[in-house]
Amino acid sequence: MSTYKVNQTITLAFSLLLLLLLPSISLATSPDDCGIQTEGICHNKPKALRLKIIAIAAILIASMIGVCLPLVTKSVPALHPDRNLFVVVKAFASGVILATGYMHVLPDSFNDLQSPCLPENPWHKFPFTTFIAMLSAVCTLMVDSLMLTFYNRNKKGSSDIGAVVSSESPMEFHGHGHGHCHGGAMEVVGHDIEESKKVALRRNRVIAQVLELGIVVHSVVIGLGMGASQNLCMIRPLVAALCFHQLFEGMGLGGCILQAEYGLKMKSILVFFFSVTTPFGIALGIALSNVYRDGSPTALIVVGVLNASSAGLLNYTALVDLLSADFLGPRLQGNVRLQMIAFVAVLLGVGGMSLMAKWA
């Protein structure tokens, strides 16, 4: 199976999941007070609609700037992936992604799946949020591993050739002397270095796709809830928080896309889906605002499950694919000063997003 077909299969499966789940959210109603939005001084439908239209434009622009910034500045020497500044900026963005999972998405899932609007049994007798997040992290590991296997499968032949060259080198030594054996060994070393670079590139491509998947899930859910709300007191601060969130989360994703070295077509697809998912969710929420009830049992369950799944995926990706890969890699391990600066950058990213949790 080719890499393109694998990517298409994953994208199609995710799209079908959203198509199946979103109607159940939009048509969810409840006969009790849980499905009814309370009226008050903060509820003004015309003003809320104007704010949401502004939010669509502002979040779209912030998303595009964030994800495109690493891509358009690659020609700037200081921001090249081989430079220290890129490592620091990526560490900051990775901290933003980590805090998004722990401080924004996971608490939302707890609130949804432990809501008093849900039946006591089973929703209040079992920690569904952490269970689903755990399964999501394990599934992400599985997808991570299988996608890398598919990427590497096509290179099996070249690996076998390398093994043959390596095994024949000693024979050449006996028949032709030192010089020829030395040349054969150098060829094997050169082949191994080249192959390791290709494996690292495939790994970066898997990371970019898995990270994009997690971001798209929670972006649609966040946008849907905001678009369906008529609460001015909630929408105003949420617009600023989401712009900040999309800007720096986009920088993290953009850095991964840059390291994946995709062609223009694939880069455009990834940038497009990241940029439009939150505005699409807001527009969908506006369209469904007359039938959507964020307090109804069906909506709480579906949104809670999606948030928990997204949280597990984002937390795994941030810790394993981004932070662990960088901090345990040879570059930061060989430069203590850069490692300390990167730690500070991570803490700043985590702290900034944690402060945003107050309004988001």
Side-chain angles (χ1 to χ4, degrees):
M1 183 181 294
S2 67
T3 299
Y4 178 72
K5 289 182 178 179
V6 172
N7 295 340
Q8 272 196 328
T9 302
I10 294 173
T11 305
L12 179 61
F14 172 67
S15 301
L16 289 174
L17 176 65
L18 281 182
L19 288 174
L20 289 172
L21 291 178
L22 286 178
S24 65
I25 300 176
S26 62
L27 298 177
T29 56
S30 176
D32 55 27
D33 292 340
C34 287
I36 301 175
Q37 293 183 346
T38 58
E39 298 293 334
I41 58 173
C42 287
H43 287 262
N44 188 314
K45 193 169 184 178
K47 289 184 179 180
L49 180 60
R50 287 197 295 271
L51 272 178
K52 284 182 275 191
I53 292 173
I54 294 172
I56 289 176
I59 293 171
L60 178 63
I61 293 172
S63 301
M64 292 182 66
I65 291 174
V67 72
C68 290
L69 197 60
L71 303 178
V72 300
T73 57
K74 65 179 181 180
S75 58
V76 179
L79 293 175
H80 193 272
D82 293 334
R83 297 302 180 93
N84 291 342
L85 181 59
F86 180 85
V87 175
V88 175
V89 173
K90 186 183 175 185
F92 175 83
S94 299
V96 170
I97 294 171
L98 181 65
T100 298
Y102 277 112
M103 299 300 296
H104 291 253
V105 187
L106 200 61
D108 287 345
S109 179
F110 274 113
N111 292 336
D112 292 334
L113 297 184
Q114 293 184 350
S115 169
C117 297
L118 294 180
E120 181 72 20
N121 190 17
W123 299 104
H124 294 269
K125 295 185 178 296
F126 186 80
F128 281 99
T129 292
T130 48
F131 178 71
I132 294 169
M134 176 183 67
L135 288 183
S136 175
V138 173
C139 289
T140 304
L141 171 63
M142 182 179 68
V143 171
D144 224 353
S145 176
L146 289 176
M147 286 182 67
L148 193 58
T149 300
F150 282 122
Y151 270 115
N152 292 329
R153 177 174 290 181
N154 295 331
K155 301 297 180 180
K156 185 178 180 181
S158 61
S159 298
D160 292 341
I161 292 173
V164 171
V165 173
S166 178
S167 64
E168 288 180 351
S169 294
M171 295 178 63
E172 294 170 356
F173 170 79
H174 290 296
H176 301 283
H178 261 308
H180 193 74
C181 174
H182 214 264
M186 290 296 292
E187 288 178 11
V188 174
V189 171
H191 175 272
D192 290 343
I193 293 174
E194 186 67 24
E195 187 63 25
S196 65
K197 289 181 179 179
K198 291 179 179 179
V199 171
L201 178 61
R202 295 173 212 140
R203 176 67 176 151
N204 287 333
R205 291 183 173 181
V206 171
I207 291 171
Q209 293 174 25
V210 171
L211 179 59
E212 173 100 6
L213 179 63
I215 291 173
V216 165
V217 171
H218 87 267
S219 293
V220 172
V221 172
I222 290 173
L224 181 65
M226 179 179 178
S229 175
Q230 310 300 340
N231 190 332
L232 293 174
C233 299
M234 184 272 287
I235 295 174
R236 284 196 189 101
L238 189 58
V239 174
L242 284 179
C243 287
F244 177 89
H245 171 274
Q246 292 295 105
L247 178 67
F248 290 104
E249 192 173 56
M251 289 175 63
L253 178 62
C256 292
I257 295 173
L258 178 62
Q259 290 183 311
E261 298 181 12
Y262 280 120
L264 180 60
K265 181 179 178 181
M266 192 62 181
K267 284 180 182 177
S268 302
I269 292 173
L270 293 174
V271 168
F272 172 80
F273 276 103
F274 171 78
S275 301
V276 304
T277 44
T278 302
F280 168 76
I282 296 173
L284 184 63
I286 293 173
L288 301 175
S289 59
N290 290 329
V291 293
Y292 178 87
R293 297 293 180 266
D294 56 4
S296 67
T298 305
L300 288 169
I301 292 170
V302 174
V303 172
V305 168
L306 285 176
N307 276 330
S309 301
S310 179
L313 192 155
L314 289 173
N315 293 340
Y316 170 90
T317 303
L319 287 172
V320 178
D321 288 338
L322 300 178
L323 293 173
S324 178
D326 286 343
F327 279 93
L328 300 182
R331 183 163 186 183
L332 288 181
Q333 286 295 308
N335 190 333
V336 177
R337 181 174 178 272
L338 180 60
Q339 191 175 150
M340 292 297 104
I341 295 174
F343 272 125
V344 173
V346 172
L347 292 175
L348 288 175
V350 168
M353 282 306 293
S354 299
L355 290 176
M356 289 293 105
K358 178 181 179 181
W359 297 284

